[in-house]
Structures are given as structure tokens and as C-alpha cells.
Amino acid sequence: MKERHLFTLLSVEAAACVLFCILQRSLSGLFSTLIAFPFEQIGAGLRVLSLSGAVGNVVAIILYMLLGIIPAGIWGFLHWRKKSEPLDFMLLVISALLFVTLYYMINPGLLSTGVPGTGKWSLGSTFYSVLLGYLLIRILLYYKNAGTEKLQKGLWFLLGTVSVVLVYGIFGQELGGLLQNLETVQKGNTGIELSDGFFTFSNLTPTYVFLFLHFAVRILPYVLDIIVVFLARRLLAAMKENLYQEESVKLAEKLSHFCVWTLASTIGLGAVFNLLQLFFQSSLYQLEYVVAVPVFSLAFVLAVLLFAKYIREMQRLKEDNDLFI
């Protein structure tokens, strides 16, 4: 997938996540949680179709059966093409789980949980955890004995997938959290408005400002990580063309320096936000402190720095070897 195609995909995903967050506030019964998408909406549609009459009920049952057997159909196709693995039997389990998920999404009143309002969330979480577990293990088995070129191609697509997850983190998870916090503050506190005839000030305004600042601090790592992904994809493309060319070395060094700057700025801005919040906390109605211990990020940055050094050393060795020959 080329960069412009990936950028288009990420833009569409961002718009879809924003739309979902808006609909979640206005149509919470139909858009209760993103993890239940699209099963919740499919279930609601099939329920309406089923209640529309005898013909609608038959059509709804047929659609329900067709949707549920999709994973099993994929297993049958792989088995027929003799490309199946023992792990692919999980597709039958996923198919059964899909039937259960859709059934309770169609009939949410039958789903009883100890914690009210978590039924659809638990169904969606369970289904996606099983599905993603199967896909990840399948990918690992596929690339277990792969060559260098195949691994590079796999990493190329994996980085694209990572960027999709990061965009969801910004416009799905964090934006949804911001809207939820704003709604909580608005409902839980009665604002006092002061006006001088030109400007209106509420005692809740500082809280709103810090909620937006907290949102900015939270999404900054996602934004910077997306840039890291694009730089890494460019580096992979250059390495595939020629590992020892100057462009590969420069891109590796650029990536390593940007990773260092990303980690430092993320930690620094989090600390600055905490200091500001501590200073203004007497006028805030909700506190959101940021405490990050980026051990894995630090390890990743050190690995990238080491990788850049290795590429530079390999280029020098190749140049020396060429001169010797």
C-alpha cells in the first residue's frame, strides 16, 4: 500500500471514528461502544427486519445464517484449496461465537450481566479478542520461515496496520474519552457564568481548558508514532532497494533522531501539564494527571539507534571492501 493510499485510508478511518463518537452521544442505544461495532448495528437492523412481518422475519433469519457462517466458509475454502493449517479450525469456533454475538445483539434483552450496560461491550470484546488472537498466530506461522524479502513486505504491511490502530487511538479512544469527560463535568457541576457585556466566563471554563490540554497531551504520542511509522516504511523501501546506499543510512539516522525527540517531547510535555494542573487545581473540577513510564518506548528508541549505527558501520565496511577489491 503506497503512502498516499494509506493516508487516504487513515483519513477515512479518522472521519468514521469522529462520526461514531458524535453518534455515541446522540444515539447511545444504537452506538453504545465502538468495540461492539458493527455487530450492534447489524443486530438492530436484523431485529427491525424481523419484526416487520413474516417475510421480513424469514429474510432476517437468512441474513443471520449467512453472516454467521462466513468464518466457517473461509475455513472450507482454505481446506478445499489445501492451504489450511491446524490452527484454522479456530475459524469454526469464531463462526459459532459470531452466531452467539449476533443473536444477543438482535435480542439484547436476553443478555444478562452482573454489571449493567456491559453486555454488548463484553460480547464485542470477546469476539475481537478471539479473532485477533487467531489472526496474529496465523501471521506468525506464515512468516516463521520466511525469507528477508518476505519479512520486509510483512513488516511493511504491519506498520500500516499499526498506523490504523494509532488513528483509532486518537479519534476513537481518546476523543471518546474527551467527550465523556466534558459531559461528566457538565452534568456533575453547575457552572456560574459571569459576563461583562462582551465576554462570558464560566467557573467551569478552566476545567474545560485542561480537559482539552489533557487530550492534546494524550494524543501527542499517537501523532508522533504515526510519523515514525511513515518514516519506518520509507526506510524499509530504501533498504529493499539497496541496504548500503546513502539514502538508507540517512533515513535510519533520521528515524532514530526523531524517535529520541518523540520520546523526550512526550515525557516533557506530560510533566509540564502535570505542573500546570497542580498550579491551577484549586479552580478545576476534574483532575487528569499524566504519569508515564515508557520503558518499552525507551527500549525501542535504543534499538533504533543501535540499528542506525549498524547500517552506518555496514556501509563503511562495504566501502572499504570495494576499495580493497
Side-chain angles (χ1 to χ4, degrees), residues 14-187:
C17 288
V18 171
L19 178 61
F20 187 93
C21 289
I22 295 173
L23 293 174
Q24 193 175 23
R25 305 268 76 82
S26 56
L27 298 172
S28 58
L30 190 58
F31 297 88
S32 61
T33 175
L34 193 57
I35 199 68
F37 180 85
F39 311 114
E40 184 178 21
Q41 293 73 35
I42 293 174
L46 291 178
R47 181 176 179 82
V48 171
L49 185 61
S50 177
L51 296 176
S52 64
V55 176
N57 186 45
V58 173
V59 174
I61 293 175
I62 294 174
L63 290 175
Y64 169 72
M65 297 298 295
L66 290 175
L67 290 171
I69 64 173
I70 288 176
I74 295 174
W75 173 83
F77 178 77
L78 291 174
H79 186 70
W80 175 64
R81 295 293 300 272
K82 297 182 179 180
K83 293 183 178 181
S84 62
E85 299 283 347
L87 178 68
D88 292 330
F89 279 103
M90 279 297 299
L91 287 169
L92 301 179
V93 177
I94 294 172
S95 189
L97 184 58
L98 182 56
F99 273 116
V100 174
T101 301
L102 289 175
Y103 177 79
Y104 282 109
M105 291 295 182
I106 296 171
N107 305 283
L110 300 178
L111 184 62
S112 59
T113 59
V115 182
T118 61
K120 295 178 180 179
W121 173 80
S122 61
L123 282 173
S125 299
T126 303
F127 179 83
Y128 280 121
S129 65
V130 175
L131 176 62
L132 291 176
Y134 162 75
L135 291 176
L136 290 175
I137 297 174
R138 191 69 162 82
I139 291 172
L140 287 174
L141 293 176
Y142 180 75
Y143 287 104
K144 181 177 63 174
N145 299 316
T148 303
E149 185 176 351
K150 191 174 182 180
L151 286 173
Q152 285 181 339
K153 186 177 181 181
L155 183 57
W156 172 274
F157 284 105
L158 178 61
L159 288 171
T161 305
V162 169
S163 64
V164 171
V165 175
L166 292 171
V167 168
Y168 162 74
I170 297 173
F171 296 99
Q173 178 179 313
E174 297 300 335
L175 180 60
L178 171 65
L179 296 178
Q180 180 64 45
N181 287 335
L182 291 172
E183 184 178 345
T184 301
V185 171
Q186 189 175 21
K187 289 182 177 179

Side-chain angles (χ1 to χ4, degrees), residues 234-235 237-251 311-312 315 318-319:
R234 290 181 183 178
L235 175 59
M239 290 173 58
K240 185 178 180 181
E241 183 179 343
N242 186 353
L243 175 62
Y244 303 103
Q245 64 179 341
E246 185 64 24
E247 183 182 359
S248 298
V249 178
K250 288 182 178 179
L251 283 172
I311 291 183
R312 174 62 73 180
Q315 185 198 40
K318 185 177 184 301
E319 290 176 351

